[in-house]
Amino acid sequence: MRALSMFRLLSGVGAAGGLLFLLTAPAAHADAAGSAQAVIVPCSETALVNAVDGANAAGGGDLILAPFCTYTLTGAHSTGGSGGPAGLPNITTPITMTGLATEITRASNAPSFRIIEVDGPSQLPSAQGQLTLSTVTLSNGDAGLGVGGAIANLGGSVTMTAGGVRGSHASFGGGIYTDTALTMTASSVTGNTATVNGGGIYRNSGSVTLLASNVSGNVPNNCGATAPWTVPC
């Protein structure tokens, strides 16, 4: 249903009808799966943090982010464990975030923190983090000496469709650091920097699948990997 909603929206369906379809399709998906109703998240930092906390507590959820909204994170809302602080609560359950020209960014005057950490069993034995992002951009994350300026995928899975990661920084994986499964479709990773390696994406282990995606303009390189893994781009 979600893929169909995006197709209709991007193919020229009227704004009101397309947005209505976008907002109702994930709820239908949730009903079919027997899970909680989708949650519409107002355009505020507090609302987004509370929605992620609520989804984790419920064992997962579908979050419908405000269209054309920039969620500006002014502080870290997770210590991040060994991964360092993160702007949003760590993703420890299956969570979908669906937006429409929506951005999640770290405030320019905020202390250093990445945007999102996704935790799986290798990071936290009880965690089953699975993050799915649709038409959402993450920007201006800064993990400092840590890994994954925008996203640190530590034992979970990350799927991004029609989204982007830009302007973020870390030691490894200025944009994204992953050690399990990362899939990007029709998405971009641009303008990110790493102090050591993997300006755009750093593959520590696991799989990286890039489908019709653009990884370019990152410093010192677009992609890096820990041997014997191959560089993903």
Side-chain angles (χ1 to χ4, degrees), residues 28 60 102 156 164 169 181 194 218:
T102 302
H169 172 79
N218 303 286

Coordinates of all heavy atoms in Angstrom, one line a residue, residues 28 60 102 156 164 169 181 194 218:
A28 N -4.0 1.5 7.0 CA -4.6 0.2 6.5 C -3.6 -0.9 6.6 O -3.9 -2.0 7.0 CB -5.0 0.4 5.1
G60 N 6.7 -1.4 18.0 CA 6.8 -0.9 16.6 C 5.6 -0.1 16.2 O 4.6 0.1 16.9
T102 N 9.8 15.9 3.7 CA 10.0 16.1 5.2 C 11.5 15.9 5.5 O 12.2 15.1 4.9 CB 9.2 15.1 5.9 OG1 7.8 15.2 5.6 CG2 9.4 15.2 7.4
G156 N 20.8 -3.6 13.4 CA 19.4 -3.6 12.9 C 19.3 -3.6 11.4 O 20.2 -4.2 10.7
G164 N 17.0 11.1 1.6 CA 18.3 11.6 1.4 C 19.0 11.7 2.8 O 18.4 11.8 3.8
H169 N 28.4 14.4 9.6 CA 29.8 14.1 9.9 C 30.0 13.1 10.9 O 29.2 13.0 11.9 CB 30.5 15.4 10.3 CG 31.9 15.2 10.8 ND1 33.0 15.1 9.9 CD2 32.4 15.1 12.1 CE1 34.1 14.8 10.6 NE2 33.8 14.8 11.9
A181 N 22.2 -4.6 7.7 CA 21.5 -4.5 6.4 C 21.1 -3.1 6.1 O 20.4 -2.5 6.9 CB 20.3 -5.4 6.3
A194 N 33.7 12.5 6.5 CA 34.3 11.5 7.6 C 35.7 11.9 7.9 O 36.5 12.3 7.0 CB 34.2 10.1 7.1
N218 N 30.9 13.3 -1.4 CA 31.3 13.1 0.0 C 32.8 13.1 0.2 O 33.5 12.8 -0.7 CB 30.7 11.8 0.5 CG 29.2 11.7 0.3 OD1 28.4 12.4 1.1 ND2 28.7 11.0 -0.7

